[in-house]
Amino acid sequence: MSEKTGAYGNKASEGSFRRKFDVEAASAKAKEQDKAAYEHAKSAEQAAAKGKKAPRQKSDLPKPTQALQARTQDLEIEKNLGKTIVVNQSAGGKGPGFYCELCRRTLKDSIAYLDHVNGRSHLARLGQTTQVRRSTLEQVRAHIAYLRSSTSEKVTSKNFDFEARLNAVKEQEEKIRQEKKESKKRKRDEAKANALRGIIAADPPTSTEPKSKKSKGPSSTQLDPIAKGVEEADQMASMMGFGGFGGQRKR
């Protein structure tokens, strides 16, 4: 028949049902806490003497169990870039900036947020250290093979896109060439139409009286504007007190 045990693993025959504490472990832990408190008080006193703020006391963080690992999720730093967001702090909001759910802290800008995410305290809460594990030869070969496969896929997609883009560029060039051709043709037709209109406008009005073949000089209608201009110039010269600018016209 098995003996009965208590809640803390003690035998019922011993008659002791109370939990027994390890006095040495408890005293060692208390000494460590006292030492940490003494060092924090000392550093705070030194900072106050220099006129600086006291350093923050480190909280009890779990010991890291794994090396530094690559981040798999996007931090979404540029998610709200160029946007205006209304923050209601009175309703218990997280405040403006970048909020860390794990550490329950709000950082003002992206640089401070990146420093915090890559910092020791945040990594310690994730159970990671700042040391990077050394990769083996097989891991390096597997990563190189993965990079080669991904690169080949990108190259094929780029080739396909390049061919489609090349066809689109050819179509666009052909369209531009046709438009230029039509524009040149339109300008040529307009020039011809304008030339025909000028020729029609330059033709003198037909007269019923026949012109004499011997008259080769300018007609009276062409001389009237010239004579009128000379007469106005002479009048202006006489008004200004000049005798004339050359030979005077005989009246």
Side-chain angles (χ1 to χ4, degrees), residues 36-151:
Y38 173 74
E39 291 178 355
H40 178 70
K42 188 177 180 180
S43 59
E45 186 178 354
Q46 292 176 358
K50 294 179 181 179
K52 298 180 180 179
K53 291 183 179 181
R56 182 184 293 175
Q57 191 172 4
K58 295 181 180 180
S59 58
D60 295 333
L61 298 175
K63 291 184 179 181
T65 58
Q66 54 186 354
L68 184 64
Q69 295 182 359
R71 191 179 296 111
T72 57
Q73 296 179 353
D74 189 8
L75 296 178
E76 297 181 351
I77 294 177
E78 299 180 354
K79 180 180 179 181
N80 298 324
L81 184 64
K83 296 181 181 179
T84 303
I85 301 174
V86 179
V87 180
N88 187 8
Q89 293 183 347
S90 62
K94 300 174 184 178
F98 296 88
Y99 183 76
C100 179
E101 295 285 350
L102 184 63
C103 303
R104 296 180 181 178
R105 288 184 58 187
T106 302
L107 290 311
K108 293 183 179 180
D109 52 12
S110 60
I111 298 175
Y113 182 65
L114 283 175
D115 292 340
H116 168 73
V117 169
N118 297 327
R120 291 179 180 271
S121 61
H122 184 82
L123 292 175
R125 283 186 171 85
L126 290 174
Q128 301 178 11
T129 62
T130 56
Q131 302 295 328
V132 181
R133 183 178 296 174
R134 187 179 180 84
S135 301
T136 61
L137 182 60
E138 295 297 330
Q139 291 176 350
V140 173
R141 287 177 176 174
H143 191 64
I144 290 173
Y146 167 73
L147 291 177
R148 283 179 178 175
S149 61
S150 61
T151 305

